[in-house]
Amino acid sequence: LLTFQKGLLKLKGAGIPMYAIAGNHDVVMRKGSIPPHVIFKKLGLKVISTINPTYMQGDIFIAGLPYYPASHGKILKSKLAELSEKATHHEKAILVLHQGIDKYFKFNHELEIGEIPDNFDYYALGHIHKYVNDAFGKGRLVYPGSTEIWKTSELTDYDKNGKGFVVVDFDGTKPVVKRVTVDIPREFIKKDIDYNNLEKDVADIKDIIKDFDKKPILNLTIKDVESDTRKIYDIIKEEIGDLALMIRPTFE
């Protein structure tokens, strides 16, 4: 929260307006509680919520909703229809959501792509950790993705697109999206180890990471295991444990 506050103060000092919604990790679980965004309202953060779902920024209509679980799908679709109707009265409109859509999020999605209103110019979406930039409606539908790797399944997208955010230019007839990548705070290394070649493979990994500025997270798959996995893990930890922030082994 303190890191976020420092970022907001920089934006406020530069005269840049700020909008945010509550994602699935921001949903309050206790009656009468408030999402963390409210703490920063006096710093200029405008919270897009069920109480204040719309704003105007110059000539741009900004509408959005906080995260809704799949069990509240009917309410979510009804509110999206209301925002879509309001967007018809504006030449430029942005929709901000934190939801999984079936086209991009195969499991546990809350919306199907056909249930998204198609009369917005830009769709600023959160929830999916990978980068998505797709044509939709009058403009672009974008998931910037997370700014840090959360799990190993994100490594493929990270290698292709990196981690970062987007800058969207609304000066033209259609929004232009620019991808900006950022450095992540640590490396994630994914390697296969052959049990029959354990000593050499571990030595090779040690040689790779010994000169890293920051300790990496190691995701290791040990194949053709024929003995006690605990013993194998102890060998790996003894050799490279001091060079890694965390070792995540999978035995096959």
Side-chain angles (χ1 to χ4, degrees), residues 144-241:
S146 60
T147 53
E148 187 174 349
I149 296 173
W150 183 53
K151 53 186 178 181
T152 55
S153 60
E154 297 173 28
L155 288 172
T156 301
D157 181 69
Y158 170 68
D159 290 339
K160 179 181 178 182
N161 297 307
K163 290 291 186 181
F165 58 95
V166 295
V167 175
V168 187
D169 187 346
F170 265 82
D171 287 342
T173 55
K174 288 189 176 183
V176 177
V177 180
K178 178 185 177 183
R179 173 75 166 169
V180 180
T181 57
V182 299
D183 293 331
I184 58 174
R186 64 192 60 83
E187 290 288 341
F188 277 66
I189 306 297
K190 187 175 182 180
K191 289 287 185 181
D192 291 341
I193 293 177
D194 186 345
Y195 168 72
N196 299 307
N197 202 24
L198 183 64
E199 185 176 337
K200 181 180 182 304
D201 287 352
V202 170
D204 289 345
I205 293 172
K206 185 176 182 178
D207 191 55
I208 291 171
I209 67 176
K210 67 181 181 181
D211 296 325
F212 280 18
D213 292 333
K214 295 182 179 179
K215 293 182 178 182
I217 291 177
L218 296 179
N219 301 277
L220 306 178
T221 300
I222 299 92
K223 298 186 175 184
D224 299 323
V225 175
E226 298 176 356
S227 63
D228 181 25
T229 57
R230 182 70 217 185
K231 182 179 179 180
I232 297 170
Y233 178 73
D234 287 342
I235 293 171
I236 294 171
K237 191 171 182 181
E238 182 178 351
E239 289 296 320
I240 55 180

Side-chain angles (χ1 to χ4, degrees), residues 51-167:
I51 299 172
N52 296 302
T54 64
Y55 291 89
M56 288 299 301
Q57 182 62 49
D59 63 344
I60 299 177
F61 175 69
I62 300 175
L65 294 167
Y67 171 78
Y68 276 77
S71 58
H72 293 179
K74 285 187 177 180
I75 299 173
L76 173 59
K77 294 166 194 175
S78 174
K79 290 187 176 294
L80 284 175
E82 293 174 9
L83 296 180
S84 178
E85 194 283 325
K86 292 179 180 180
T88 60
H89 305 289
H90 302 276
E91 186 176 345
K92 296 180 180 180
I94 296 173
L95 180 63
V96 188
L97 296 174
H98 191 101
Q99 305 290 164
I101 301 172
D102 64 338
K103 182 178 179 180
Y104 316 106
F105 198 72
K106 302 301 181 184
F107 305 104
N108 301 322
H109 56 267
E110 298 84 33
L111 290 168
E112 295 180 3
I113 190 67
E115 295 169 337
I116 307 294
D118 62 0
N119 60 328
F120 286 83
D121 299 272
Y122 183 71
Y123 299 79
L125 300 181
H127 195 44
I128 298 174
H129 288 206
K130 67 179 182 180
Y131 176 54
V132 174
N133 183 344
D134 204 359
F136 186 80
K138 295 162 58 182
R140 307 300 302 180
L141 181 153
V142 176
Y143 284 95
S146 60
T147 53
E148 187 174 349
I149 296 173
W150 183 53
K151 53 186 178 181
T152 55
S153 60
E154 297 173 28
L155 288 172
T156 301
D157 181 69
Y158 170 68
D159 290 339
K160 179 181 178 182
N161 297 307
K163 290 291 186 181
F165 58 95
V166 295
V167 175

Side-chain angles (χ1 to χ4, degrees), residues 14-51:
I16 297 173
M18 301 163 285
Y19 299 85
I21 60 171
N24 57 310
H25 293 290
D26 303 313
V27 175
V28 293
M29 305 301 290
R30 191 173 68 252
K31 188 176 181 180
S33 298
I34 59 174
H37 306 65
V38 178
I39 299 171
F40 303 105
K41 288 179 74 173
K42 289 188 177 181
L43 296 182
L45 182 68
K46 296 178 176 65
V47 181
I48 302 171
S49 66
T50 52
I51 299 172

